[in-house]
């Protein structure tokens, strides 16, 4: 139990039982960042389904981890099955989906973790919602710009085929709009460059931002 | 950009543009825990308003931080104003409040972070909901057992006085039940012991659990 003394808070009344101290605040974000030797920021990847954003996000997380950084990737796999399992795909629910993801990202960033999000987030309104919640200082918008025809040709999950058949309605790029971000902090031309080139570009963008 | 090569994933087709690799999985929890040199677990503090659970949670977070661990405290301050800002205090909303907190805790634990929750969570049903979401291996229920009369006498936030006047309805302990946990992993008699004693007890409980 070494070290217990040094962080003991002041007691408002000494010697009395049942008197609990009152703290000014918890361990703050700055101290957590010092512990982790990094800044907690949010990398918000936007792009069409199949654009490669999740693959790049995974590559970024691996790179950061291998270099001693704690990063966390939020994507459909751990969000839609968990915190957002009650949400469907109505406009209201898509809004709430992004709102909650942004709030969770904000919590992670405030714990010093580098948070990487990979969600289509197809409209300026949704991305602005996320930015406003997370705050402009921590929010980094990365647009993975892959032409629709490339994404559709890949069709890793078979979703484009289903959307063309009308089996998925409001599918971004086919039956629902994708608004190109006007204010992306980084644009990756993932339709033209190789994966390695794209990942290097992403890493080069992120490294200065996580420096203390 | 040192170290970039070693974590490059296998490319399914070399040399072709637009062909992105497919990963088996992201950096998993075990690797994040190795990086942080700790296990990511959830400490779920339950108890009446004014029982001292948040003060103990803060003390625990400070102790862990001062000893090189990354912990994160979820409480009303960062949850009710953020991710759960759309929720009120109906039975349905209280359930949803705990469900989301548990889901967020699960995400944090899976990133290797020691997550400390401080919420009244007054019923066995609510605590079981949290346990089922987080999973029994990671869920640690700590009951801060402070008699109602002690909590009411402290009344740090003036809530008991309001509840007695009928200004707050369904207030736990006054006009809504608090079910004593039957399966707490730790019970802290915070009505009898000093703050230092309670905190030492909590720390002694947590330290073996976060060991890798």
């Amino acid at each position: 139990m070494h070290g217990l003394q040094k962080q003991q808070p002041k007691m408002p009344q000494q010697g009395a039982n049942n008197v609990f101290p009152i703290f000014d605040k918890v361990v703050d974000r700055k101290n957590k960042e010092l512990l982790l030797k990094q800044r907690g920021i949010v990398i918000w990847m936007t792009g069409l389904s199949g654009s490669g954003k999740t693959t790049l996000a995974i590559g970024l997380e691996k790179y950061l981890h291998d270099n001693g950084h704690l990063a966390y990737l939020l994507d459909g796999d751990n969000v839609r099955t968990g915190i957002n399992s009650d949400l469907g795909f109505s406009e209201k629910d898509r809004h709430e989906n992004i709102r909650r993801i942004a709030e969770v990202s904000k919590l992670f960033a405030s714990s010093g973790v580098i948070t990487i999000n990979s969600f289509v987030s197809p409209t300026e309104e949704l991305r602005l919602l996320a930015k406003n919640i997370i705050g402009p200082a921590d929010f980094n918008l990365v647009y993975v710009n892959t032409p629709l025809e490339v994404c559709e040709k890949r069709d890793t999950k078979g979703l484009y085929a289903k959307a063309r058949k009308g089996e998925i309605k409001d599918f971004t790029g086919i039956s629902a709009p994708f608004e190109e971000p006007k204010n992306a902090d980084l644009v990756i031309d993932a339709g033209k460059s190789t994966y390695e080139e794209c990942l290097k570009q992403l890493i080069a963008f992120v490294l200065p931002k996580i420096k203390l």
Side-chain angles (χ1 to χ4, degrees), chain A:
Chain A
M1 211 71 63
H2 68 282
L4 182 54
Q5 284 318 306
K6 67 174 169 174
Q7 85 293 341
Q8 281 303 315
K10 265 190 209 166
M11 307 294 285
Q13 286 181 253
Q14 290 296 335
N17 278 1
N18 307 336
V19 179
F20 269 41
I22 294 147
F23 289 95
D24 280 345
K25 56 178 178 175
V26 298
V27 181
D28 67 7
R29 173 177 172 166
K30 202 182 159 189
N31 278 302
K32 291 179 197 284
E33 292 180 332
L34 284 170
L35 180 72
L36 292 173
K37 300 184 182 73
Q38 64 185 31
R39 275 202 65 220
I41 59 166
V42 178
I43 307 295
W44 192 282
M45 317 275 289
T46 181
L48 290 168
S49 174
S51 61
K53 61 189 178 310
T54 299
T55 312
L56 285 167
I58 290 172
L60 175 62
E61 189 191 27
K62 282 170 77 72
Y63 175 83
L64 291 171
H65 179 84
D66 288 349
N67 286 276
H69 291 292
L70 184 64
Y72 194 66
L73 174 57
L74 289 170
D75 64 7
D77 284 347
N78 53 16
V79 165
R80 275 279 179 189
T81 58
I83 182 104
N84 289 355
S85 58
D86 58 324
L87 300 178
F89 291 88
S90 68
E91 202 181 319
K92 195 183 151 207
D93 279 9
R94 283 170 197 246
H95 185 278
E96 177 64 7
N97 181 49
I98 295 296
R99 186 190 73 81
R100 289 192 205 161
I101 291 163
E103 292 285 3
V104 171
S105 307
K106 188 182 177 179
L107 292 174
F108 268 97
S110 78
S111 76
V113 178
I114 301 158
T115 314
I116 311 164
N117 288 324
S118 178
F119 299 93
V120 175
S121 44
T123 65
E124 291 286 56
E125 187 255 334
L126 286 175
R127 295 182 293 254
L128 188 62
L129 170 70
K131 184 175 185 168
N132 285 338
I133 289 169
I134 292 162
D138 294 328
F139 181 83
N140 296 277
L141 186 63
V142 175
Y143 173 32
V144 182
N145 182 10
T146 309
L148 177 62
E149 47 279 17
V150 177
C151 299
E152 191 168 359
K153 211 176 155 190
R154 283 183 192 151
D155 205 8
T156 352
K157 299 178 189 165
L159 296 175
Y160 285 96
K162 281 189 186 172
R164 288 286 182 199
K165 281 186 226 159
E167 291 169 19
I168 307 173
K169 64 172 196 166
D170 298 332
F171 190 77
T172 302
I174 304 296
S175 42
F178 181 86
E179 296 171 14
E180 297 230 318
K182 288 191 189 106
N183 301 304
D185 299 292
L186 176 69
V187 179
I188 299 180
D189 278 325
K192 292 178 193 158
S193 314
T194 64
Y195 175 75
E196 284 87 350
E197 285 162 354
C198 295
L199 183 58
K200 275 186 189 175
Q201 195 187 350
L202 180 58
I203 290 167
F205 169 78
V206 169
L207 285 184
K209 301 201 175 283
I210 62 171
K211 259 197 189 156
L212 277 185

